Amino acid sequence: MVRNIVILTGAGISAESGVPTFRGPDGLWEGHHVEDVATPEAFQRNPVLVQTFYDARRAALRAVEPNAAHLALARLDAEWPGELLIVTQNVDDLHERAGSRRLLHMHGELNRALCTACGAAPDWTGPLIDAPSCPQCGVPSLRPDIVWFGEMPYHMDAIEAAIARADLFVSIGTSGAVYPAAGFVSVARRAGARTLELNLDMSAGTPLFDEARHGPAGLLVPALVAKLLDD
Ligand code: NAD
Ligand code: ZN
């Protein structure tokens, strides 16, 4: 019987909302090589490019809405009587706008800034390119609160503890190429959980799952949630 569920989501769950995925057909993120916009070295080398890039991603959030997959997970979150944790690699805010509460952003959030002077992480919905002052310490040293390649993902202890207790681990719309998230399926299997992948097509991780279902998240996720809540 399924009681404890961990759900990992990636860029694919937001694709039907109109948020481009990371490794689209061209292997670029919104026209950029990831090493030019998503590493600490890129930020040191060209802070204007990196701030402009994330300012544009943050502004673009205002034009998109949660889709049927985000809404279905919010319903599961509201109605599931057992333990549930939604772990997202996404930096958009579509899970919370759909109503999910039991949610952790392991790669940070577009709508949050990080002060490199004092470590404060204030909510932030405007641009950062004009070097605003940190609301905590006053120093104009805010960067996007995004976990870049080479940086430590957030909430790893809580995530690993939840996976250790999980009976069901579901991965939705992620390429299985970015670690440590790509390794969660193996941790879940070792902990005795059933593992299920929902993705548009085969991913690098597909062979690691007990079962894989291929199709758009907007169809597959509501069907899974209906089944889980019916059983
Ligand atoms: P990815 O872009 O590497 O992979 C996306 C996966 O989703 C692919 O396997 C693709 O086949 C699948 N997919 C595409 N459309 C789908 C759909 N409609 N339904 C189901 N699956 C679909 O994404 P990732 O594995 O999450 O790694 C991306 C990294 O880039 C993360 O660290 C994330 O922070 C960042 N990113 C975030 C966003 C966002 O917040 N929405 C967008 C782009 C990139
Ligand atoms: Zn500060």
Side-chain angles (χ1 to χ4, degrees), residues 65-76:
E65 297 290 338
N67 65 52
H70 300 103
L71 293 167
L73 290 186
R75 177 179 167 223
L76 184 67

Side-chain angles (χ1 to χ4, degrees), residues 25-181:
D26 50 8
L28 301 176
W29 187 6
E30 305 263 3
H32 293 273
H33 292 283
V34 286
E35 57 271 24
D36 293 333
V37 291
T39 63
E41 294 76 19
F43 186 56
Q44 278 196 329
R45 208 163 49 230
N46 195 342
V48 170
L49 171 72
V50 173
Q51 296 284 29
T52 305
F53 176 80
Y54 287 99
D55 281 357
R57 305 282 76 72
R58 193 178 306 110
L61 288 184
R62 297 197 207 115
V64 298
E65 297 290 338
N67 65 52
H70 300 103
L71 293 167
L73 290 186
R75 177 179 167 223
L76 184 67
D77 185 1
E79 297 180 20
W80 185 253
E83 284 186 33
L84 174 85
L85 179 63
I86 301 167
V87 178
T88 189
Q89 299 170 86
N90 294 345
V91 295
D92 66 50
D93 60 350
L94 295 176
H95 281 303
E96 46 271 58
R97 277 161 57 191
S100 287
R101 296 274 177 280
R102 294 184 267 180
L103 170 72
L104 293 176
H105 279 274
M106 66 178 290
H107 289 165
E109 296 167 66
L110 284 168
N111 283 336
R112 195 174 291 286
L114 176 64
C115 178
T116 58
C118 77
D123 290 345
W124 205 270
T125 52
L128 291 172
I129 187 66
D130 46 358
S133 304
C134 168
Q136 182 96 12
C137 71
V139 178
S141 52
L142 296 174
R143 55 165 269 187
D145 191 11
I146 302 288
V147 177
W148 287 324
F149 286 94
E151 296 183 321
M152 181 62 81
Y154 292 145
H155 311 299
M156 286 300 291
D157 289 350
I159 294 167
E160 279 169 4
I163 294 175
R165 290 192 302 272
D167 311 302
L168 175 64
F169 173 81
V170 188
S171 168
I172 303 170
T174 173
S175 59
V178 180
Y179 281 82

